[in-house]
Amino acid sequence: MKFAIDKINNSTSLLPGIKLGYEIYDSCLEPVVVIQPSLLFLTREGSAGIRVLCSYTDYQTRVTAVIGPYLSDLALITAKLFSFFLIPQVSYGASSEKLSQEEYYPSFFRTVPSDKSQSKALVQLLDKFGWNWIAAIGSENEYGREGLGTFSSLATAQGICIAYEALIPADPSVPQDHKKLETIIKYINETQVNVIVLFSVDRPVKALLEQWISHGFSQKVWIATEAWVMSDIVTSIPNIQTIGTVIGFTIKGGIVPGFQDYVADLFASIQQESFCRASWEYSLDADSAVLGPQCRQCDNVSLHDVSHLLENQQTYAVYVAVYSVAHTLHQALGCTEEGCPKATVKSWQLLDIMKELQFTLDNQSFQMDQFHSMNQGFDIMFWSWQKGNLRYIPVGDYQESLRINTSQIRFHTMDKKKPVSTCFWRCEPGQIKRVKGFHLCCYDCIDCEENTYESKDDLFCTNCPEHQWSPIRSTKCYDRSERYFFWDEPLIIGLLVLMLFVMVLTGLSAVLFLKNLNTPLVQAAGGARSIFALLFLLLMCLSLCLQIGKPSTASCMLQQPLYTLCLCACFSTFLVKSLEIVLLTEFTSCPKGFLLWVTQKRAWLVVAVTCLVESMLCFWYIYSVPAFPVRDYKLLHSQVLIRCKIKSWFAYIMIHGYNGGLAFICFLCTFMVQTPAKKYNMARGITFSMLAYFVTWIAFIATYSTVQATQQPAAEICGGLLCALGILTSFYIPKCYILLFKPEWNTLAYFQLHQGRAS
């Protein structure tokens, strides 16, 4: 500080014609000691008391500005006093984040970054190396407590797990504090972390590392703060090189130009008798309160004893602090190269200037930020031991973001590569954290299951909305695609080909029967009623197309009624023929009037009544309990299945059961018939048709109950087509064969003689 003031006083460009005076006090690093000079600064010039005034606007304190103190503990005390009088106070070491609160400390400034800035740098360094399982130790003072607290919160937010956290006792020489220190060392070792952050001043670090070395614990990576990384108190510990790897931060600065020569000249001067005599005479006239107690040990200090301190980063911070006050005064006094027009300035008048202060010193720019700090950033230092000598190797820096050359760092491990210190791996997108053990920040990464996604909190997998889905390990949901039977699907194309085949057979059969309508064979098979049955069999096949495509309210409502009504129309013709057969064979003595109801035009009335009953059942089904389209989100993981849901299975059984009842009656009427040889074997055609119907339904029920819901419409189509094909092949195709290839059998004479062969 004295060097900077002397340099300013000899300058012709900065404060020309103005000489700065100063008073220097040793705080002894004690809060009680620092109070006395602080109160003295607040007194008026030439007095030893502080008057109580209503307004201190014109109050001129003993000093215009204050440089220091170094420790945050002391600065927090003095800053409150100086802020009341709005005296600018510029510290070269107090980094507590509390001092950034302008509403409490409006006149406090500093030429070093705050602890928060250093904590950010520490977190980025750990993150760079992938270390997320660490111990964090601080000193039991303002620097350690506040710094450790800030670092812990930032580290936790970044996902770094602090296995153990503690404060080193202030005085380890006390037995009770020594026991605490032993406990801290024990717990650090038990956590098995490989990285330890020491947010502490140098003396507590010395006590901890001495105990660590004495216990012979394994080597670790020690992350140092600027307060001890280059401290000779720490580096002079015996066997300090055995602790492992030390990486730390130092405040960016530089070497004060001319300072080493200045100190060398001072030490040369004190060797002269005239200097010592003048100094002694001056001390006799000085105020004892200002001078303080004489330091006898200082008489024996040599240049060699202090040479290692001359390049310390703190010296540059002091240098900048003095120049910041000088530049503020230069602007406040309106100084130019010719001189300073103003003679005096009040302390509070400097504050607004200092808040916006910008100046250049030794070709380097400095500026106060919004928190009254000069954040020049940090250099990253690595302890390199070469033949027992320590060298500080700069391996990177920090200014808003971290830059580091990891290839320059040689770790203490066998392969010289970074040690692993993790209790978890970074979770990939789509994974959540599952806590393991007793530390909430240690976890395993678990994949989010299907239809869930990783939410912002990283703790739970959130279920997708019903209309959306997600694959395994997803970070978002996607809209479900619709699933139903499309017309261009291979399975549907195959069924459509089969349907076309059945419909062509049915249509050709109907045409053939129409062409031979008046022949004995067609008349014996039912005549026009057979054509009627074939047409409805054709319509039944077409109704199966309602199972294809996107289900709608209309298609779901009509699927079952159309199918059953068409099949009922077909079965009604078989019913008439079956009743005719049973009356002619089993009830020969019944009145002929009964036979007229099933052989003549009255048979159409039986067909109509039969179809009417089924129509009424279908009407009740449609208007009371119709099937309706539903969206099934649970069956398929990435699609929504749109299908028709049966509202009432009772109604479903009723409309299909009616056809089943007709088929059963037809089967009984034809299967139980006792006929002479070659008489009415046409009944076998109806019997086998009904058997085909029953077999198809049994197969359909077994298939429908076992296949997935996505395939159930295909099962219905297949069942309907097989039923139609069974009726065709059992009853109509054999007759078509006779009509086409055995026309000689289709004569009245032959038919009456060989009725058994006609079928």
Side-chain angles (χ1 to χ4, degrees), residues 5 11 14 22 25 50 93 193 291 342 365 383 387 419 435 450 454 462 488 508 531 697 744:
I5 292 174
S11 173
L14 183 61
Y22 57 88
Y25 294 88
I50 304 172
V193 297
L291 186 63
K342 294 182 182 180
S365 297
W383 282 16
K387 298 181 180 181
V435 175
E450 287 184 352
E454 175 206 350
T462 304
D488 57 353
L508 291 175
I531 299 173
W697 259 97
E744 65 275 12

Side-chain angles (χ1 to χ4, degrees), residues 492 495 499 544-545 547-548 712-722:
I492 294 301
L495 290 174
M499 183 185 297
L544 295 173
C545 291
Q547 302 282 352
I548 308 171
Q712 287 175 351
E716 291 195 46
I717 296 172
C718 191
L721 293 177
L722 290 177

Side-chain angles (χ1 to χ4, degrees), residues 729-747:
T729 54
S730 299
F731 189 80
Y732 292 104
I733 298 299
K735 294 164 182 59
C736 290
Y737 174 79
I738 293 173
L739 292 174
L740 291 173
F741 301 106
K742 300 291 183 180
E744 65 275 12
W745 292 1
N746 190 19
T747 62

Side-chain angles (χ1 to χ4, degrees), residues 12-14 16-17 330 334-340:
T12 57
S13 58
L14 183 61
H330 187 87
C335 297
T336 62
E337 293 182 358
E338 287 75 22
C340 301

Side-chain angles (χ1 to χ4, degrees), residues 342-491:
K342 294 182 182 180
T344 60
V345 64
K346 300 292 189 295
S347 298
W348 58 267
Q349 293 175 322
L350 303 179
L351 294 183
D352 288 338
I353 298 174
M354 186 162 280
K355 289 177 184 177
E356 306 294 333
L357 182 64
Q358 297 184 35
F359 65 95
T360 302
L361 180 61
D362 301 329
N363 297 321
Q364 189 173 354
S365 297
F366 296 90
Q367 180 180 0
M368 287 291 178
D369 62 18
Q370 58 180 333
F371 302 110
H372 296 186
S373 302
M374 285 186 181
N375 192 353
Q376 298 301 110
F378 297 90
D379 288 320
I380 304 173
M381 294 294 180
F382 165 63
W383 282 16
S384 176
W385 293 95
Q386 298 177 0
K387 298 181 180 181
N389 297 319
L390 174 61
R391 288 184 57 208
Y392 301 109
I393 299 178
V395 294
D397 62 4
Y398 174 83
Q399 184 74 43
E400 301 298 334
S401 62
L402 188 82
R403 294 185 304 174
I404 187 169
N405 184 0
T406 55
S407 62
Q408 290 185 281
I409 302 176
R410 296 291 182 266
F411 289 95
H412 58 270
T413 53
M414 294 293 292
D415 57 2
K416 303 302 179 183
K417 295 182 180 179
K418 70 170 184 177
V420 176
S421 189
T422 60
C423 71
F424 67 91
W425 299 104
R426 297 289 182 189
C427 289
E428 297 294 330
Q431 294 182 319
I432 59 169
K433 302 172 183 176
R434 178 174 292 174
V435 175
K436 61 180 180 181
F438 298 102
H439 295 277
L440 296 179
C441 51
C442 282
Y443 52 83
D444 293 322
C445 293
I446 307 299
D447 291 343
C448 284
E449 298 178 351
E450 287 184 352
N451 294 326
T452 63
Y453 68 98
E454 175 206 350
S455 56
K456 292 181 179 180
D457 55 15
D458 296 334
L459 298 177
F460 301 99
C461 291
T462 304
N463 291 324
C464 290
E466 192 176 44
H467 65 281
Q468 292 183 321
W469 76 285
S470 66
I472 295 176
R473 220 165 101 173
S474 179
T475 57
K476 64 178 181 178
C477 295
Y478 305 89
D479 290 333
R480 291 176 180 266
S481 59
E482 294 180 339
R483 180 70 177 98
Y484 47 84
F485 273 122
F486 296 92
W487 290 92
D488 57 353
E489 290 188 41
L491 176 60

